[in-house]
Amino acid sequence: MPCSPDYDLVMDSPLGRLALRCSDRGLTALDYVTGEVPLRDPRNPLSSRAAAQLRHYFNDPAFIFDLPLDLAGTPFQQRIWSALCRIPSGEVLSYGGLARRQGSGPRAVGGACRANPLPVIVPCHRVIAADGSLCGYGGATRGAGIEIKSWLLAHEGVSVSSSCFVIPSGS
């Protein structure tokens, strides 16, 4: 399978192969792709910087991404994605908790998380169900879904079991 010409980087990670797209203004998408998509060295300074920051995060889960983002979405989605970036590594928030903070409903927050074009960098994996279950991990991604979300949370030090974990008090 030839590499999509619009990928600016395709790299291996602990989550499998990741592919990034950039615009002149910032990162636009991160996709989980199969091993059939060939690796691609960074095509520009931003994709090179993003690759370095992703590697840093995979070595140090407390790392905070500092990359320009160019995310296409509704004003509501933009607001939720911005709020996701403020949830610290190692912490989780319920869909309902995030919805209350944003004056919205949990399903709408879930929809915005599902539409997140930059998983990992915009950390929608830090949002969970009120009962502590992982729920889904959809977004505009391909891949192992719930296993990826579980891995990311465990990587950040959040205690997880196969489908549930304890929510720290105050979340």
Side-chain angles (χ1 to χ4, degrees):
M1 168 190 262
C3 187
S4 172
D6 61 348
Y7 284 136
D8 293 292
L9 164 73
V10 180
M11 65 183 277
D12 282 326
S13 80
L15 302 173
R17 201 153 281 182
L18 304 177
L20 282 171
R21 285 189 210 92
C22 307
S23 73
D24 291 339
R25 295 179 304 278
L27 296 177
T28 61
L30 182 151
D31 294 326
Y32 297 104
V33 296
T34 68
E36 294 174 9
V37 175
L39 294 171
R40 170 174 274 167
D41 289 333
R43 291 175 33 176
N44 53 53
L46 178 55
S47 59
S48 180
R49 187 171 153 208
Q53 289 196 21
L54 282 162
R55 282 191 293 274
H56 196 121
Y57 168 79
F58 289 125
N59 287 320
D60 174 11
F63 177 77
I64 298 170
F65 290 97
D66 181 22
L67 296 162
L69 308 180
D70 183 17
L71 303 178
T74 67
F76 176 77
Q77 289 170 332
Q78 297 280 344
R79 199 171 81 229
I80 297 302
W81 298 335
S82 179
L84 294 173
C85 291
R86 292 189 299 272
I87 302 172
S89 178
E91 294 185 22
V92 294
L93 188 61
S94 71
Y95 291 96
L98 183 55
R100 282 187 296 282
R101 290 181 181 183
Q102 296 299 313
S104 183
R107 288 183 192 266
V109 167
C113 288
R114 246 186 327 279
N116 175 12
L118 281 170
V120 182
I121 295 168
V122 175
C124 55
H125 61 275
R126 296 178 186 154
V127 182
I128 51 127
D131 68 1
S133 63
L134 296 178
C135 291
Y137 185 70
T141 63
R142 302 175 191 104
I146 206 73
E147 293 84 13
I148 291 172
K149 185 171 187 171
S150 179
W151 188 94
L152 287 165
L153 290 171
H155 175 62
E156 294 181 2
V158 176
S159 258
V160 296
S161 66
S162 61
S163 63
C164 297
F165 54 91
V166 176
I167 302 171
S169 61
S171 293

